[in-house]
Amino acid sequence: MELDLHGGTAWIGVVPFDMKGVTRRGLPAWRPVSDFPEINVRTYVTVDGKPGVWFFSLDVTNRLAVWAARTFYHLPYFHAEMNVRKAGETVHYGHRRGEFVFSASYRPAEKIEAEAGSFETWATERYCLYTADRAGNLYRGEVQHPRWPLHRAEIEITENTMLQGWNTGPMHPSVLFSRHLPV
């Protein structure tokens, strides 16, 4: 596995969103367990030339999702306290897992068409994820979805300790928003 660089730099994403209708294919989605907020911390990698996502953490409020993802998919899911509320177009997003906190308000701005070779296309057009078990065996999970319908976003981050202790550079100027993506 190699870091996938854009412009000669590795990038880390902090991605807050809502999951809706999560269930095993063919089964009905029961809202109390299939709808929940999630925030993940990720980077971008390639394996044998195939670009994908590597997750450092995926935090959700749903304990069943944590158990299933850790048990069957070897993904680093964690249980966290989270709240999400909308006020018009603005999303107010709050997260806490111990010392890891993310608090922000964001909203969509103008719709964009991501161009080939752009940071926006590079960061969003990923159709697999990679993970490893405790023995170090690498796994790839294929992901099927249409191209992201993207908007530029306006964001006000009031607290972010998700990358606490990491030596990171400045935030990328391209903050993105998508209303919905069926996966």
Side-chain angles (χ1 to χ4, degrees):
M1 183 169 57
E2 296 178 13
L3 282 172
D4 193 2
L5 308 178
H6 186 271
T9 302
W11 294 93
I12 298 172
V14 177
V15 183
F17 59 99
D18 271 331
M19 299 283 275
K20 301 287 186 200
V22 176
T23 189
R24 187 177 168 131
R25 189 175 301 196
L27 295 179
W30 185 44
R31 289 190 67 167
V33 296
S34 65
D35 294 1
F36 49 88
E38 177 175 318
I39 187 168
N40 65 59
V41 178
R42 62 172 66 187
T43 195
Y44 306 93
V45 298
T46 59
V47 175
D48 297 328
K50 185 168 173 89
V53 175
W54 177 267
F55 294 104
F56 295 109
S57 66
L58 303 105
D59 292 10
V60 297
T61 57
N62 184 320
R63 291 183 191 277
L64 179 60
V66 171
W67 173 81
R70 284 183 163 272
T71 301
F72 299 112
Y73 300 105
H74 312 291
L75 288 166
Y77 267 77
F78 299 92
H79 181 260
E81 297 174 16
M82 301 167 83
N83 61 68
V84 180
R85 67 180 175 79
K86 284 187 75 176
E89 288 284 293
T90 301
V91 177
H92 301 279
Y93 200 98
H95 160 276
R96 176 176 297 279
R97 176 175 49 94
E99 63 198 32
F100 300 104
V101 176
F102 182 83
S103 179
S105 296
Y106 53 89
R107 65 184 203 86
E110 74 276 3
K111 186 174 178 157
I112 64 169
E113 294 296 327
E115 297 177 19
S118 69
F119 176 83
E120 294 79 8
T121 296
W122 175 85
T124 60
E125 294 306 308
R126 305 278 166 156
Y127 296 95
C128 72
L129 62 89
Y130 294 99
T131 188
D133 63 19
R134 291 180 188 202
N137 298 307
L138 188 64
Y139 297 93
R140 181 174 69 213
E142 300 293 336
V143 182
Q144 298 175 354
H145 61 75
R147 283 184 62 94
W148 284 88
L150 295 174
H151 292 256
R152 298 234 179 266
E154 297 171 1
I155 189 166
E156 180 182 334
I157 301 172
T158 51
E159 188 172 8
N160 180 8
T161 62
M162 300 300 287
L163 302 174
Q164 183 172 288
W166 296 29
N167 184 14
T168 61
M171 188 169 122
H172 194 280
S174 184
V175 178
L176 303 173
F177 178 93
S178 183
R179 293 185 198 284
H180 177 76
L181 183 72
V183 177

